[in-house]
Amino acid sequence: MNLGINNIGRHFRWLTIVFIGAQVILMGQINYEEKLVPDYTLPNPLITNQGVPINNMKDWLEIRRPEILQQFAELMFGKVPTDLSIVTTFKQTKQVLNAIDGKAVLKEIELSFSNGTRSIEASLLILLPINSDKPVPLFLGTNFYGNHTIHKDTSISITLNHVNNNDELNIHNNRADDASRGGRAHRWPIENILQRGYGLGVVYYGDIDPDFDDGFQNGIHPLAYLPGQTKPRKNEWGSIAAWAWSMSRIMDYLQTDEHVDHNRVSVIGHSRLGKTSLWAGANDQRFALVISNDSGCGGAALSKRQFGETIQVINTNFPHWFCENFKQYNERESELPFDQHMLLALVAPRPLYVASASEDQWADPLGEYLSVAHAGEVYKLFKQEGLDPSFKPMPDQPIWKGKLGYHLRRGTHDLTSYDWEQYLNFADLHLNKN
Ligand code: GTR
């Protein structure tokens, strides 16, 4: 079995140090026992930092929501630099009228990010149902190994940027080629998505910022440096915030695409990219539906439970994901002025779906459910039903109340057609597809 760096933590339970090549992976002391979860108090999303209760939608939207958003930006994901001088331009580089075995119109849009002296390019792949005569709702997602991995269709371009090696996908020397075409197709049931009347947009996250710790020398970050600056400030964007920011730039493009109904765009991501979709959806209210698949620590899971992956472990193994300020909470979860239920609450009153997998204890499925349930307090302000925190979700029995959806899929850490089936049904219900 090839565990790969990203899966190692799922297989070791106690203090473990693993050597992979030159890299040391610290797993820390991982708790998987419910009875060992420490006593914790969740901050109330409906009380301001000054202790003022929030009891109406207006005060939530105008006072408390910006306050929470600011805290997550400042202390966890990192702010997009305020003096950002990156200009994003879009250019359609390809159109194929009968892609995906004649089921889709395929477009590729080149996104170019430039600060005037330096630029990087990313490729947005858009697939639209072949016979749609009106703008379609669309799922927008990020992928781990390149757009060409989501389907074997040879018209999909292969990224020239750094790709993390993966033996199963035949990716070596950090370069992708034809050998990995369709290698992640099981995560993207494209035919079903198209057949249900939805479009799909995907971007390879490494086009925006390669996913390894290089001190922020490659990808989008250096484009924002002021003269003499060599890394983001302590409160400035890590990689997740950069990936999420790019989702918003893609949304800028989608607003100009007459084939896409930009009022019905759902943002979706799995695992670290589920953390990304949550942060994108929290920041950008143009996303009509926000979906987090197995996002775990730093995503939907409550940090203060310290169940499965912890802040210290994630910051050690992936020092580039969050901002420098977040490291002060390593082994200090109790001092965090927020928890992840407040990140989810930032999506309110828009529909939100969180999913877990029963064998993905590393991501703390119960902590993910509780997070949605506690975010419900804010949805209630909008006269929406919430989920009951004392309820124990059962595998393969989705729980939907009001604008909130949750399921615990039986199985391992993955994005499967079962997950997608729920997301499509939920989108049908909430995005009023006709
Ligand atoms: C893991 C990491 C998780 C999750 C996952 C993934 O190793 O610890 O937080 O993000 O990677 O993205 O696949």
Side-chain angles (χ1 to χ4, degrees), residues 5-7 10 144 270-273 275 295 297 309 314 318 321 362 413:
I5 289 178
N6 299 332
N7 290 321
R10 299 178 198 286
F144 284 74
H270 167 65
S271 205
R272 68 198 68 182
L273 297 176
K275 308 180 210 298
S295 62
C297 178
E309 187 175 29
I314 205 167
F318 305 101
W321 282 1
W362 179 249
H413 184 72

Side-chain angles (χ1 to χ4, degrees), residues 213-235:
D213 180 26
D214 73 334
F216 298 108
Q217 298 312 301
N218 61 20
I220 195 86
H221 296 91
L223 272 63
Y225 295 159
L226 298 172
Q229 191 181 353
T230 55
K231 58 177 185 186
R233 297 183 185 92
K234 286 181 172 192
N235 63 350

